[in-house]
Amino acid sequence: SAVISQKPSRDICQRGTSLTIQCQVDSQVTMMFWYRQQPGQSLTLIATANQGSEATYESGFVIDKFPISRPNLTFSTLTVSNMSPEDSSIYLCSVGGTQGNTIYFGEGSWLTVV
Amino acid sequence: EDQVTQSPEALRLQEGESSSLNCSYTVSGLRGLFWYRQDPGKGPEFLFTLYSAGEEKEKERLKATLTKKESFLHITAPKPEDSATYLCAVQEGGGNKLTFGTGTQLKVEL
């Protein structure tokens, strides 16, 4: 299984600011994804981070709000821009497994916007 | 649109009391059905992927089964350390996106 490290693990952010979350994987992976888990709700896919091209965003998510970088096959960042209290969530990095159709998740980044 | 419904929302069991969690789904062309365990403050931990009706997979006290409309996660003789939220997700054919249910919060008591 892949080992996925996310930074920060937790942060309290001021309204109107932006925060960048990092995701580092211990092996090269083709697919990397970013999910959001709002309080009391399940996971929702924000976007697929594509290496060498722009991320592919799901309906309801836009690049200006959630810019994503994927400079190589082991690293990606998600920025949450101009934050409001509604952005308070867990943000999770996810990767496709190298053995069969397995998808692994990082420990998540818990953001609270005040 | 893909839909995933999990039941019950919460389940309380005594240690050793076996039970099943349900995940019903609607998807056009199932590529895979995933089960995860999520502990408080942590990311989802991968348990199983099922691909076709009739398939079963086991891991310790857990067994996952799949039909054309639903999946069950059977927990045999659970222990307190099995307490967690269990998430089900479906992946539609041709895509990589996982659509999650809202989970079943399991608590196993001594």
Side-chain angles (χ1 to χ4, degrees), chain B residues 5-80:
Chain B
T5 303
Q6 291 188 246
S7 62
E9 290 185 8
L11 181 63
R12 183 169 289 187
L13 299 173
Q14 295 297 310
E15 184 176 15
E17 180 187 0
S18 301
S19 188
S20 297
L21 313 182
N22 178 265
C23 171
S24 60
Y25 63 91
T26 304
V27 63
S28 51
L30 181 72
R31 181 178 175 192
L33 185 139
F34 296 71
W35 282 99
Y36 291 87
R37 167 190 173 131
Q38 187 173 29
D39 292 296
K42 294 194 173 184
E45 175 190 346
F46 173 79
L47 294 174
F48 307 108
T49 307
L50 302 169
Y51 299 99
S52 57
E55 187 175 3
E56 298 182 354
K57 288 191 176 175
E58 288 189 64
K59 179 180 180 180
E60 296 180 354
R61 295 178 292 282
L62 300 176
K63 183 169 80 172
T65 62
L66 182 65
T67 72
K68 288 186 178 180
K69 294 184 178 180
E70 58 191 349
S71 177
F72 291 94
L73 184 65
H74 307 277
I75 303 177
T76 302
K79 299 182 178 182

Side-chain angles (χ1 to χ4, degrees), chain A residues 31 35 37 42 101 103 106 110, chain B residues 36 38 41 49 51 91 98 101:
Chain A
M31 299 182 291
Y35 282 80
Q37 187 174 26
S42 197
N101 190 18
I103 298 179
W110 294 61
Chain B
Y36 291 87
Q38 187 173 29
T49 307
Y51 299 99
Q91 187 182 53
L98 293 182

